[in-house]
Amino acid sequence: MTLLALHQVELQLGSSTDLYQNLNLQINAGECHCISGATGCGKTTLLQLMAMPNQFNYQGEITHSPELIIGMIMQDPHVQLVRETIGAEVAFGLENLSVPALDMLPLVEQALAKVGLAFPLNTPVTHLSLGQKYRLMLAAQLVFEPNLMLIDEPWAQLDNQGITELCKVLTDLLETGVSVVIVEHNTAPFTDMIDFQWQLTSGALFCSTRSPQASHDFADKISRHSASLCLDDKMSVNMMQQKNVDAAAQSNCLLTLSDVTIRYANQIATLHISETVSLHAGDIVGLFGENGCGKTSLFNQIVGVSDEYKGQISLLGKTPKLGLFGANLGFLMQRPSRQLFEMTVQQELEFSLKRFGLPLANATEILTQLNLLPLASHSPHKLSYGQQHLVALASVLCIKPKILLLDDPFAGLDNHYFPLVINALKHFAENGGAIIFSSHRPILSSLLSKCWLIEQQQLTEHCVLKRVS
Amino acid sequence: MIHLKSTKRDKYTLTNLVPEKSALNNAILRSKQKLILCSAAIAFSIVLSMSAFLVLQQHLGYLLLINACLLVHAWFCQAKLAPLIKLFIFQSLVTIGLYVLLYGQDRLFEAVIVVTRIILVMLPSWWLASTQSSHQISQVLSLLLPTKWAFVVTTSIKVLPFIGQEARDIYHIQCLRGARITPKALMNPINWYELVKCVLFPLLIQLLSLSKHIAHSANQRHFDKSSTHTHWPLN
């Protein structure tokens, strides 16, 4: 049975650009479709068009089966949550369908059971990790028994555990006849369940003919080592410390964290760094840990945004304080599109250069390096998520700081922009800059000098054995 | 984030989530009681806010006393007072500063009264948002307002902490980018425009984006399908 069909769909973005041209897609019951495509090609918009065609001025034909019930999970579950407790969140759809109050209880608990969230119904949503919030959002869709689930880029948001749990739920759904459409750069974790793989290119969908091996290419690029491989790469912390002492004598130590304990805002969980860890000029350090383990919190302490810690943090020989380090410190926060405010991409990069009295030519240099020069005169607010991400990264890189802190910098990047970012970071480190980047899964071990791994609220430093390419 | 119990699906039992029937009835009864309290709290805060404008100057002391009690109550309910105090200090400095700039020191007392009244208008709403759940407020408001309006009001209250966090994040990152918006830099009014440009403008964009996403999320979960809505029984 065909649930949804798009026939010769055309959609214009703004006044001139054609986002889709003659786009065709047919989704039948029980099928799993995966759509990939370059950053900014319109994957997310395609999901929204499928779910809410009335909100778009499109041409062509979009057919919804009378039985079609759509559930949709967007990239960031935070912006979809409307209630304070998990029970109320899942029940929101039922409230809107005027389901009697007492009838909601079994439906809500069944939906939560399907996604494996066995928490009391009055658990505050704020107490859940990102992965748990994602599953909560899934339960909030499953409660009204959709027969088509639309999912937008889960791999970038969830850690490995979250992806495993999501795959399990989706496999169960497919077995019960529910259709699934996933929009994703990295299709590798979903290979087993995908029936049709599509590439969105030049506004049309093309059936992807990539072999299973090829489908792992992107994953292999970004996630060269799995978690277990990374653990194999560990050396003992004591050995690492000795190495650091020697290295400190030889090279410029930019950052040291000694016996640090970080309190979270709710003062329940903490992150401990029992031993001394350090960062030297030219280092690239990966900070890895699951969703909610405290990576962002650690960055906030290092840059001086927060001082909820005990112990010693020394950045460029000083205790961190906001604004103390000027152009010596660059920080890219999560969802970096939030920092964009200028009218053009060029102006966005020149803002920091002007404030720090640096040459404006740096902006053009970085834009060229990241292949963003064609966008220089564009408004940053009209760019796609991935493009905005790159512009924000470029605005930090162009000041050429001594230390660069990147909070989840690869989220949402496709395999076109990804190598450009890697090259830019390599170039930065080769010129004496030090980088710490975070991710919720161990990635890019071939690029790293060492990795800081957070497990069970404890940060430990590990050597990474580089693969010979 | 706290780590809750195991989420293994095979260990799931119904009793983990939903209490026993008698306990359930008690929970529903408590929810109803809370709802009545919430209704009273809404009425009380509206009256109190209106009084801040209407009450005579010599009676402002009584209002201050009542509002001080609300502050203590919110503090006991683990509400964060620091952001509110910072907001009041900032608002007081701006208002009194403008009065002094426009009228000189003669009307300083008048400026203090105006500031006090503004604070007394805002404080009951903050107390309400801090001590009552948005779901309960939504339930009460839906009795008085169309469902869409009730949803808009309560969602706005719910996202206030999120907006505060976004504002803080954007402020911090722009400081790190060299923006002249540190407290010291903001002593110079010339730099106020920079605060508007690189903090408030991106914040506004974020809010527009957030409202669009929430609207999509609500519509996609059948929000506009029915004119009558029921309510989740457990608060």
Side-chain angles (χ1 to χ4, degrees):
Chain A
M1 181 180 65
T2 302
L3 293 173
L4 187 148
L6 289 87
H7 182 64
Q8 301 282 304
V9 170
E10 292 182 13
L11 181 70
Q12 276 197 336
L13 198 64
S15 56
S16 56
T17 319
D18 278 334
L19 190 61
Y20 308 129
Q21 290 173 318
N22 298 327
L23 192 140
N24 298 294
L25 181 66
Q26 181 173 317
I27 299 161
N28 298 318
E31 289 177 352
C32 180
H33 295 249
C34 182
I35 300 170
S36 305
T39 300
C41 72
K43 301 184 295 294
T44 299
T45 309
L46 180 57
L47 287 189
Q48 289 170 347
L49 180 66
M50 283 192 225
M52 295 167 279
N54 295 340
Q55 304 205 354
F56 293 88
N57 187 17
Y58 65 93
Q59 290 175 324
E61 197 180 333
I62 298 178
T63 314
H64 281 191
S65 151
E67 291 85 26
L68 178 67
I69 303 172
I70 294 178
M72 184 172 169
I73 306 177
M74 292 185 270
Q75 270 185 48
D76 183 1
H78 291 110
V79 299
Q80 281 186 280
L81 300 167
V82 294
R83 294 282 192 236
E84 286 158 333
T85 62
I86 64 170
E89 184 63 50
V90 177
F92 179 72
L94 301 175
E95 290 177 341
N96 298 333
L97 294 170
S98 301
V99 174
L102 286 177
D103 293 352
M104 290 179 188
L105 286 163
L107 296 172
V108 167
E109 54 96 0
Q110 277 167 21
L112 286 168
K114 278 181 189 168
V115 299
L117 276 181
F119 301 144
L121 295 171
N122 58 354
T123 304
V125 172
T126 49
H127 286 192
L128 303 183
S129 72
L130 184 67
Q132 288 163 340
K133 281 178 186 164
Y134 207 91
R135 282 190 284 153
L136 175 64
M137 208 56 240
L138 190 56
Q141 309 295 316
L142 295 181
V143 75
F144 47 83
E145 298 183 345
N147 45 19
L148 174 60
M149 280 302 305
L150 307 176
I151 301 176
D152 195 4
E153 293 197 31
W155 193 79
Q157 298 289 336
L158 298 175
D159 56 26
N160 287 339
Q161 164 112 14
I163 285 291
T164 307
E165 288 165 350
L166 178 67
C167 285
K168 210 185 291 177
V169 175
L170 293 181
T171 306
D172 289 349
L173 285 176
L174 285 165
E175 282 172 6
T176 58
V178 174
S179 303
V180 175
V181 178
I182 306 171
V183 157
E184 187 55 78
H185 291 301
N186 177 23
T187 57
F190 308 100
T191 307
D192 292 343
M193 70 177 80
I194 294 171
D195 299 312
F196 299 94
Q197 193 163 323
W198 303 95
Q199 190 72 23
L200 183 56
T201 311
S202 308
L205 282 172
F206 298 95
C207 191
S208 177
T209 53
R210 292 196 299 177
S211 65
Q213 181 57 44
S215 73
H216 286 76
D217 281 355
F218 181 74
D220 193 48
K221 271 185 194 164
I222 194 165
S223 185
R224 182 67 67 83
H225 287 171
S226 68
S228 59
L229 279 171
C230 185
L231 292 175
D232 290 342
D233 289 344
K234 284 180 191 174
M235 290 175 70
S236 79
V237 176
N238 288 337
M239 281 174 70
M240 201 61 225
Q241 277 181 313
Q242 185 57 48
K243 186 188 166 190
N244 283 343
V245 171
D246 296 341
Q250 293 165 8
S251 66
N252 186 13
C253 182
L254 303 175
L255 170 69
T256 314
L257 300 128
S258 307
D259 197 20
V260 173
T261 301
I262 298 172
R263 286 181 288 114
Y264 292 149
N266 59 15
Q267 300 189 352
I268 295 169
T270 52
L271 173 65
H272 305 285
I273 307 171
S274 309
E275 312 294 340
T276 301
V277 295
S278 55
L279 178 77
H280 299 82
D283 275 352
I284 302 180
V285 174
L287 173 62
F288 303 132
E290 292 178 349
N291 292 131
C293 71
K295 300 184 291 293
T296 300
S297 193
L298 177 60
F299 277 143
N300 286 341
Q301 315 304 317
I302 294 173
V303 300
V305 162
S306 169
D307 60 352
E308 295 177 309
Y309 70 92
K310 286 179 184 168
Q312 194 190 356
I313 299 179
S314 173
L315 179 65
L316 300 169
K318 296 171 186 167
T319 303
K321 193 181 168 191
L322 187 67
L324 187 64
F325 304 102
N328 289 326
L329 174 66
F331 180 40
L332 187 78
M333 61 163 72
Q334 279 183 331
R335 294 188 290 125
S337 57
R338 290 182 284 175
Q339 70 178 51
L340 306 175
F341 65 93
E342 290 282 14
M343 300 308 286
T344 68
V345 169
Q346 183 85 25
Q347 288 172 349
E348 194 67 51
L349 268 67
E350 287 177 355
F351 173 74
S352 291
L353 297 173
K354 285 177 185 168
R355 290 292 174 270
F356 293 130
L358 298 168
L360 297 185
N362 286 7
T364 312
E365 187 190 328
I366 294 294
L367 286 175
T368 310
Q369 204 175 5
L370 288 172
N371 208 11
L372 288 172
L373 211 51
L375 300 177
S377 58
H378 285 55
S379 164
H381 310 291
K382 291 184 177 175
L383 303 179
S384 74
Y385 176 85
Q387 288 166 333
Q388 287 182 335
H389 196 106
L390 277 180
V391 171
L393 177 63
S395 73
V396 180
L397 276 174
C398 72
I399 61 170
K400 300 184 177 174
K402 286 183 180 170
I403 298 180
L404 188 57
L405 304 178
L406 308 170
D407 197 356
D408 208 3
F410 304 109
L413 288 185
D414 62 15
N415 51 9
H416 169 67
Y417 287 109
F418 182 74
L420 295 171
V421 174
I422 294 297
N423 287 338
L425 297 185
K426 268 185 187 170
H427 184 256
F428 176 80
E430 282 163 8
N431 285 294
I435 302 170
I436 307 175
F437 73 84
S438 72
S439 172
H440 39 251
R441 55 175 64 83
I443 56 171
L444 297 169
S445 58
S446 59
L447 193 72
L448 302 178
S449 316
K450 53 192 168 187
C451 82
W452 293 353
L453 204 60
I454 302 176
E455 287 174 318
Q456 296 171 338
Q457 299 170 0
Q458 188 78 34
L459 185 147
T460 47
E461 188 172 80
H462 302 278
C463 180
V464 178
L465 296 177
K466 295 185 180 183
R467 278 185 178 180
V468 179
S469 56
Chain B
M1 199 275 294
I2 59 163
H3 292 282
L4 298 161
K5 291 182 290 183
S6 164
T7 59
K8 280 191 175 178
R9 296 165 71 220
D10 52 355
K11 285 189 179 174
Y12 164 79
T13 57
L14 194 144
T15 49
N16 281 347
L17 306 185
V18 183
E20 294 291 328
K21 195 170 181 182
S22 58
L24 181 67
N25 287 336
N26 285 338
I28 292 171
L29 189 66
R30 274 200 304 276
S31 290
K32 284 180 180 167
Q33 287 168 348
K34 280 184 185 174
L35 202 63
I36 294 166
L37 275 177
C38 181
S39 310
I42 289 173
F44 183 57
S45 67
I46 290 172
V47 170
L48 217 53
S49 288
M50 285 167 62
S51 307
F53 278 130
L54 300 175
V55 83
L56 294 173
Q57 195 172 308
Q58 58 264 37
H59 296 142
L60 271 179
Y62 298 113
L63 268 186
L64 276 169
L65 193 66
I66 295 168
N67 278 278
C69 294
L70 296 188
L71 266 179
V72 173
H73 177 238
W75 183 68
F76 272 113
C77 293
Q78 297 184 330
K80 286 182 183 171
L81 300 186
L84 185 78
I85 291 166
K86 281 181 192 167
L87 175 71
F88 285 167
I89 291 171
F90 177 74
Q91 193 256 326
S92 305
L93 287 174
V94 171
T95 311
I96 294 174
L98 283 174
Y99 256 80
V100 171
L101 212 64
L102 294 172
Y103 307 112
Q105 291 194 341
D106 297 346
R107 295 173 70 175
L108 201 60
F109 181 70
E110 196 179 321
V112 172
I113 294 295
V114 168
V115 167
T116 309
R117 284 186 189 275
I118 293 172
I119 289 171
L120 292 178
V121 168
M122 291 161 69
L123 212 142
S125 311
W126 170 83
W127 168 77
L128 183 71
S130 305
T131 57
Q132 307 295 322
S133 80
S134 67
H135 185 227
Q136 283 171 327
I137 297 172
S138 171
Q139 224 170 319
V140 176
L141 288 183
S142 62
L143 299 173
L144 313 166
L145 299 170
T147 310
K148 278 187 183 177
W149 283 102
F151 179 72
V152 168
V153 171
T154 49
T155 307
S156 303
I157 293 170
K158 183 192 168 283
V159 299
L160 279 177
F162 180 80
I163 293 168
Q165 188 57 48
E166 288 287 289
R168 274 193 294 277
D169 284 352
I170 294 170
Y171 172 80
H172 289 143
I173 199 67
Q174 304 297 22
C175 281
L176 290 167
R177 290 179 73 197
R180 295 171 186 144
I181 53 171
T182 56
K184 194 179 168 187
L186 288 174
M187 299 293 280
N188 183 352
I190 292 171
N191 293 331
W192 292 1
Y193 174 66
E194 186 131 318
L195 183 73
V196 173
K197 191 179 163 193
C198 67
V199 177
L200 295 187
F201 181 47
L203 183 65
L204 187 65
I205 292 173
Q206 288 304 310
L207 293 185
L208 290 173
S209 166
L210 178 67
S211 62
K212 191 178 81 176
H213 280 121
I214 289 178
H216 276 166
S217 174
N219 280 336
Q220 195 267 318
R221 287 196 267 169
H222 312 293
F223 181 70
D224 54 356
K225 283 223 170 129
S226 168
S227 56
T228 56
H229 292 235
T230 50
H231 295 282
W232 173 243
L234 299 175
N235 285 314

